[in-house]
Amino acid sequence: MNCDAQKLYVIYGDNPDEMINKLFSKVKIEERIDKNARIGIKPNLVVAKPADLGATTSEKLCEAVIAYLKAQGFTDIVILEGSWIGESTARAFSVCGYTQLSEKYGVPLIDLQRDAYSSVTVDGIEIAVCDAVRGVDYFINMPVLKGHCQTKITCALKNLKGCIPNSEKRRFHRLGLHKPIAVLNKAIKTDLIIVDGLVGDLNFEEGGNPVQMDRIIVGFDPVLVDSYAAELLGYSPEEIEYITMAEELGVGKCLENKEQVVELNPQKHSKKIPHSREVAQLARYLDDLDACSACYGSAIHALARLDDQGLLDRINTKLVIGQGYQGMTGDSAVGIGSCTGGFTRHIKGCPPTAKTIIDKLMEQFVLK
Ligand code: SF4
């Protein structure tokens, strides 16, 4: 085995095919899967919207995963999804590019809204889980890194909500979401997580305020993945109830130190997507000179969290960000990211997480 299950592998960029090949050549995924295994891939197609709107898993990323697995000789691969109540999964498959993907690679699409299901009892809670999910030998969870209006974030743990029938989704909401999400992750064992951190939404599951984060994260423990995702979006893992509940249930362990995060490449500048009105409002606080999208995205998520707490108006200085500030100095502005290291007040990281940006601004700089 070439990688440690308690590690996360992060690659930056905007070319999923290249990124997946580099990631998988590092983690050697083919050595972990039985050649005859039935592999189930669970993207997030909660709604029928293309991935660049921030809600759904990029079909290009899914294609890169399928192409890699096929090239390694795996033949029994299926894509499983049940969109949210009110959306037709078949429509989501079509609009999100998965129908074409299925035809191109001969990979069946399984609509979990139409699947049979059976009950599993975990921690005294009975949960209905779709049979097709229980029928796979190797389960690959491909969530999107994004904010959520009820649970603050949604990533690996919450993506499994697409693996239950609609009646059960309604019941999850009545049960307050957090506990059943944690329990569901005990009922369904995830073998591999590939997070689409290319473009995710600022604060809504259904997209509309896309934020470019330019990264893919690979891990094997959904609690570990989500504890890191929480920090990337500006929260401590303890602020997301279902993460701590899942850890208590023994689903996995939260991130303990930075050494667990293995970054496979440095940042590079990339083209930015247009801002929605809400993102543009937050971007007014940033003086950007050639910032990488990964860094800029962290800053936007940090500003959104400060806005949630009513603290945005207390930012009383310029926030500078980007490679264009390399070698520059200054006393008045606060720099975000290692490129701004010449500024007396700056926040380290390449890129820093949204949580780091918030903590530093709160503790040391403009929000004291
Ligand atoms: S610190 Fe500089 S190089 Fe690093 S992510 Fe930010 S802008 Fe890019």
Side-chain angles (χ1 to χ4, degrees):
M1 190 179 297
N2 294 305
C3 61
D4 181 342
Q6 274 310 302
K7 286 207 161 93
L8 295 174
Y9 297 85
V10 182
I11 192 160
Y12 297 99
D14 56 8
N15 181 329
D17 194 42
E18 243 176 61
M19 293 159 85
I20 280 296
N21 277 298
K22 278 192 191 144
L23 275 164
F24 281 3
S25 65
K26 172 78 181 170
V27 302
K28 299 255 181 287
I29 201 63
E30 60 278 11
E31 293 175 8
R32 297 172 155 257
I33 314 174
D34 187 281
K35 273 283 175 278
N36 300 314
R38 182 173 181 79
I39 300 173
I41 297 178
K42 162 68 176 82
N44 183 337
L45 306 179
V46 60
V47 288
K49 290 182 183 174
D52 58 3
L53 292 178
T56 54
T57 305
S58 156
E59 79 284 9
K60 293 190 184 73
L61 175 55
C62 194
E63 176 168 6
V65 172
I66 291 169
Y68 185 95
L69 291 171
K70 288 257 173 185
Q72 294 295 329
F74 295 99
T75 52
D76 192 3
I77 305 170
V78 294
I79 297 174
L80 312 140
E81 175 59 314
S83 301
W84 74 1
I85 298 165
E87 183 60 86
S88 134
T89 313
R91 199 170 97 85
F93 279 143
S94 168
V95 170
C96 299
Y98 283 71
T99 308
Q100 235 180 343
L101 193 58
S102 161
E103 285 161 6
K104 182 171 173 186
Y105 289 90
V107 172
L109 300 173
I110 299 180
D111 178 351
L112 297 177
Q113 283 181 332
R114 294 170 174 272
D115 195 32
Y117 52 88
S118 36
S119 289
V120 183
T121 303
V122 182
D123 204 38
I125 297 186
E126 200 175 301
I127 289 186
V129 176
C130 293
D131 289 346
V133 176
R134 300 181 70 199
V136 302
D137 304 305
Y138 195 86
F139 184 75
I140 303 178
N141 183 359
M142 294 188 63
V144 179
L145 174 69
K146 56 185 171 174
H148 189 275
C149 58
Q150 288 167 291
T151 56
K152 297 188 175 85
I153 74 155
T154 168
C155 194
L157 291 162
K158 193 172 168 302
N159 194 35
L160 295 204
K161 200 163 151 268
C163 299
I164 56 177
N166 280 352
S167 53
E168 195 64 320
K169 287 177 193 146
R170 287 191 192 93
R171 194 171 72 102
F172 267 38
H173 282 272
R174 288 199 299 276
L175 293 171
L177 281 178
H178 291 279
K179 178 83 184 204
I181 288 170
V183 169
L184 179 61
N185 278 270
K186 193 79 179 170
I188 302 172
K189 183 184 172 292
T190 297
D191 296 294
L192 172 68
I193 301 136
I194 303 166
V195 180
D196 178 351
L198 300 166
V199 178
D201 197 76
L202 186 64
N203 41 25
F204 288 109
E205 184 172 20
E206 67 267 42
N209 287 306
V211 179
Q212 195 173 355
M213 294 289 274
D214 270 3
R215 71 197 78 194
I216 296 169
I217 305 160
V218 162
F220 303 90
D221 171 347
V223 175
L224 184 70
V225 166
D226 276 17
S227 61
Y228 182 56
E231 300 211 358
L232 292 178
L233 298 181
Y235 298 100
S236 332
E238 304 79 56
E239 288 178 82
I240 319 297
E241 272 179 77
Y242 66 72
I243 297 181
T244 44
M245 286 175 174
E247 186 173 40
E248 280 160 18
L249 281 173
V251 174
K253 287 187 76 175
C254 284
L255 190 68
E256 286 168 349
N257 57 64
K258 285 187 182 148
E259 285 65 49
Q260 288 174 265
V261 181
V262 181
E263 291 173 309
L264 300 186
N265 61 352
Q267 305 308 295
K268 60 177 185 184
H269 179 69
S270 65
K271 207 168 147 239
K272 293 194 181 72
I273 58 173
H275 293 334
S276 68
R277 195 189 304 173
E278 195 171 334
V279 172
Q281 285 291 103
L282 298 168
R284 287 181 307 141
Y285 290 83
L286 299 173
D287 271 7
D288 165 26
L289 262 188
D290 297 330
C292 302
S293 304
C295 212
Y296 197 81
S298 292
I300 291 292
H301 279 291
L303 290 166
R305 302 297 85 80
L306 293 172
D307 193 21
D308 295 341
Q309 297 171 57
L311 293 171
L312 261 193
D313 290 347
R314 286 174 53 193
I315 294 179
N316 54 12
T317 188
K318 207 158 78 157
L319 303 177
V320 297
I321 184 167
Q323 296 180 50
Y325 288 101
Q326 276 171 352
M328 287 195 202
T329 56
D331 289 330
S332 57
V334 170
I336 296 177
S338 301
C339 285
T340 62
F343 285 72
T344 311
R345 299 182 297 168
H346 69 273
I347 299 166
K348 289 182 191 155
C350 180
T353 65
K355 182 76 172 68
T356 302
I357 296 171
I358 293 167
D359 288 349
K360 291 290 174 199
L361 288 175
M362 299 276 260
E363 286 162 20
Q364 297 179 24
F365 303 139
V366 290
L367 293 166
K368 271 193 297 190

